[in-house]
Amino acid sequence: MPATKLQRRFEQPPESVRPDLWGVTWTLQQFADQVGRDSGWLVDHVLKPNEFDLSTDRGGPVRFSSGKGSAWKIKARPMAYWIEKNWDRIQGSGWS
């Protein structure tokens, strides 16, 4: 039986994935640099459509900005794993 939205948890990467990123936090701009996309596009087409799955409130790697002047915080290693799994969609049209 497929997991409902409320049952889903962010899939943590295996320990062997990107050990160089243990303990590293990216800003929104650093995330954009990693992906090669504009930060505004990433917010609108990648991060916000996946907020339920990516939010630190549900075990994900992204602490979303709470408004203007509030920083985005992104755990680099689990986000790098998520980027790899979703690369084609990120480099395509995104989720919206």
Side-chain angles (χ1 to χ4, degrees):
M1 182 166 167
T4 66
K5 202 168 192 180
L6 293 176
Q7 293 169 325
R8 280 194 325 241
R9 298 290 295 171
F10 184 81
E11 181 183 351
Q12 295 297 323
E15 290 199 20
S16 60
V17 171
R18 296 293 309 261
D20 57 313
L21 294 177
W22 276 102
V24 175
T25 300
W26 287 335
T27 64
L28 181 59
Q29 187 57 53
Q30 289 169 321
F31 172 57
D33 293 345
Q34 291 293 317
V35 175
R37 288 282 203 161
D38 175 72
S39 61
W41 188 92
L42 287 171
V43 168
D44 294 339
H45 298 280
V46 175
L47 295 173
K48 293 244 173 138
N50 291 289
E51 185 171 357
F52 186 89
D53 293 322
L54 295 175
S55 174
T56 54
D57 294 340
R58 291 176 186 79
V62 180
R63 190 189 82 195
F64 285 77
S65 172
S66 59
K68 192 164 180 82
S70 172
W72 291 75
K73 301 268 185 187
I74 302 167
K75 293 179 185 175
R77 197 176 77 80
M79 195 63 184
Y81 182 64
W82 188 86
I83 291 168
E84 187 65 33
K85 289 176 53 179
N86 293 283
W87 184 255
D88 290 338
R89 196 151 189 195
I90 293 168
Q91 294 305 320
S93 59
W95 278 258
S96 56

